[in-house]
Amino acid sequence: MNSNKLALRGDLLDLTGTPALDDVDSPVVRFRPDHWLLIEGGRIQAVLPGAQAPGDDWQREDHTGRLLMPGFIDTHVHCPQLDVIASYGTSLLDWLDTYTFPAEQRFADPAVAAPGSSLFLDALLAHGTTAAVVFPTVHAESAEALFAAAAGRGMRIVTGKVLMDRHAPEALRDDVAGAEADCERLIARWHGHGRAAFAVTVRFAITSTPEQLAMAGGLVGRHPGLYMQTHVAENRDEVRWVAQLFPEARSYLDVYHRHGLLNERSVLAHGIWLDDEDRALLAATGAHISHCPTSNLFLGSGLFDWRAAVASGHRVSIGTDVGGGTSLSMPRTLAEAYKVQAMQGQRLSAWAALHAGTRGAAEALGLGHEIGTLEPGLAADVVAWDWAHGPVATHRDAVARGAIAGLSEQALHARVFAWLTLADERNVAATWVAGHDRYRRISSTP
Ligand code: GUN
Ligand code: ZN
């Protein structure tokens, strides 16, 4: 429903700054239990205590007993890979050849790409994700379909035709001149139109010739507002192959740097096998890593060292990386991120995890003025979450609620951490994009 004046009641949770990785008592947590979130003209207008209901000119929706949070931002995910999510038995390079490249060929056909894009975006919304940085396929038609489907839903999507002109099946290869023309056409048609933004989308260094990387760098240089997305240092065999293909580069990341592809709008997925010099280069250029824990575990790629990232000063956001990743749910992904750090003797607080999935991602994308918090003036991309789904989570939440009586930040952390660890798409009751009602769970008793 398009309501010009919409008031949502629930437990408001967002972050006002950047929490330390393991700080469970962070001052930047803003928890406002039982408040009204006022939305006007698609933007957050104000917040009122629950007892102060807004007037009758507001359409009121009562989500008392639910969490109201900014929509999650998934900074690395592949639209055409819903077809191959949960495919057995391979690591990255085999997985691409066996499952992914065959599936992506189907997206050459707009009759596949259009419904595929709709299915994908509706699935994001049903998982509580309202904005995403997305890979379609090499086909301009697939980027076109995704942009069109996102515009139809008012979603903030960053995407662009995938560049790949070698080491892939013929049906998935482009060429430098054709790819450049496709990108220029898509930029003119979509970049900055509504909430859309174009990303120069280099699949990875293996599938682009140096000439194509130079062309990609040229696009980034000519159009300063563009994003750049790619993969980097995900898998050890991949890293070895890149070293053979680009012997002149100091490292895998340096391949992108040499081609002018690193700046504050660059989103690089994975970044597991980086060294400190690489991390310093990310910090210096403003490029950032989208950490994709479910994918890294599923494909056996490795453990991302988040503490080293923080120490170097580069930003980290979170990607589901479906279909290498195994869920579009950001809570599930963040719960796996916690485990990846635990495997390295490190801790990731619920606050740091939520930050990476909301405000931190928005800031890393230069969109902190637009999405990622419940600050007045921002777009009303909002999700209502049940605190618990099913008997175990309901019991666990009741225990956490009992302990919360004093409302200390640490007791709140215990409750939110349990929510984050146990929640998935079944907890999503409703999703709004710029104040528009875009998803509603069929049975939604609070
Ligand atoms: N590296 C190059 N392409 C891909 C992809 O589709 N998924 C993942 N996880 N890594 C990649
Ligand atoms: Zn990926």
Side-chain angles (χ1 to χ4, degrees), residues 81-430:
Q81 294 182 13
L82 290 185
D83 291 26
V84 298
I85 188 172
S87 292
Y88 176 77
T90 52
S91 54
L92 175 66
L93 299 173
D94 285 349
W95 175 83
L96 287 170
D97 288 339
T98 310
Y99 301 112
T100 308
F101 287 158
E104 292 194 4
Q105 293 179 34
R106 295 195 278 277
F107 272 62
D109 181 356
V112 173
S117 299
S118 293
L119 173 75
F120 170 77
L121 293 178
D122 288 340
L124 286 185
L125 295 169
H127 284 74
T129 296
T130 50
V133 183
V134 188
F135 270 62
T137 64
V138 69
H139 317 100
E141 296 81 359
S142 78
E144 179 69 34
L146 190 55
F147 274 125
R153 290 159 180 76
M155 288 175 78
R156 188 164 279 284
I157 291 294
V158 177
T159 191
K161 173 211 126 55
V162 178
L163 300 170
M164 44 197 300
D165 65 348
R166 65 170 170 176
H167 299 137
E170 159 112 58
L172 284 185
R173 288 202 304 268
D174 54 14
D175 58 71
V176 175
E180 184 169 31
D182 281 348
C183 288
E184 290 285 9
R185 206 166 32 245
L186 286 162
I187 291 164
R189 199 163 141 65
W190 290 107
H191 184 63
H193 291 235
R195 304 183 82 189
F198 185 88
V200 173
T201 302
V202 175
R203 181 171 211 122
F204 62 164
I206 289 170
T207 45
S208 284
T209 57
E211 294 72 32
Q212 186 170 64
L213 293 176
M215 180 277 282
L219 285 173
V220 168
R222 277 204 300 286
H223 301 276
L226 295 189
Y227 289 90
M228 195 289 292
Q229 61 174 339
T230 191
H231 298 87
V232 71
E234 174 178 4
N235 164 291
R236 275 180 286 194
D237 291 336
E238 170 209 19
V239 173
R240 274 191 285 272
W241 194 0
V242 171
Q244 284 164 17
L245 291 171
F246 298 92
E248 70 286 1
R250 192 200 72 83
S251 67
Y252 189 161
L253 184 71
D254 185 46
V255 173
Y256 298 136
H257 184 47
R258 284 164 171 262
H259 290 95
L261 290 166
L262 299 185
N263 64 35
E264 61 290 337
R265 286 173 166 251
S266 305
V267 186
L268 297 104
H270 308 298
I272 297 167
W273 305 104
L274 300 177
D275 61 19
D276 281 342
E277 207 170 315
D278 290 323
R279 295 187 187 97
L281 180 58
L282 289 170
T285 56
H288 90 274
I289 294 292
S290 175
H291 169 39
C292 305
T294 76
S295 170
N296 298 163
L297 296 172
F298 184 72
L299 295 176
S301 301
L303 303 175
F304 174 70
D305 187 343
W306 199 325
R307 194 163 56 184
V310 169
S312 77
H314 77 74
R315 296 177 194 265
V316 177
S317 62
I318 294 284
T320 61
D321 195 29
V322 163
T326 49
S327 172
L328 285 178
S329 162
M330 289 290 280
R332 285 193 72 164
T333 305
L334 294 167
E336 297 307 288
Y338 175 85
K339 297 174 195 171
V340 166
Q341 296 316 304
M343 284 297 295
Q344 301 169 90
Q346 302 173 23
R347 293 288 170 254
L348 178 69
S349 74
W351 309 135
L354 287 179
H355 177 264
T358 56
R359 182 189 182 105
E363 288 177 345
L365 296 171
L367 293 172
H369 59 289
E370 201 39 41
I371 53 175
T373 71
L374 301 177
E375 205 58 58
L378 269 62
D381 291 355
V382 180
V383 179
W385 296 85
D386 287 337
W387 274 101
H389 176 86
V392 172
T394 301
H395 174 74
R396 179 66 182 86
D397 187 55
V399 171
R401 246 189 359 254
I404 225 169
L407 251 185
S408 81
E409 289 295 329
Q410 291 193 20
L412 179 64
H413 181 269
R415 188 182 186 200
V416 172
F417 182 75
W419 170 75
L420 197 62
T421 305
L422 299 174
D424 59 30
E425 65 273 27
R426 293 169 298 180
N427 295 59
V428 178

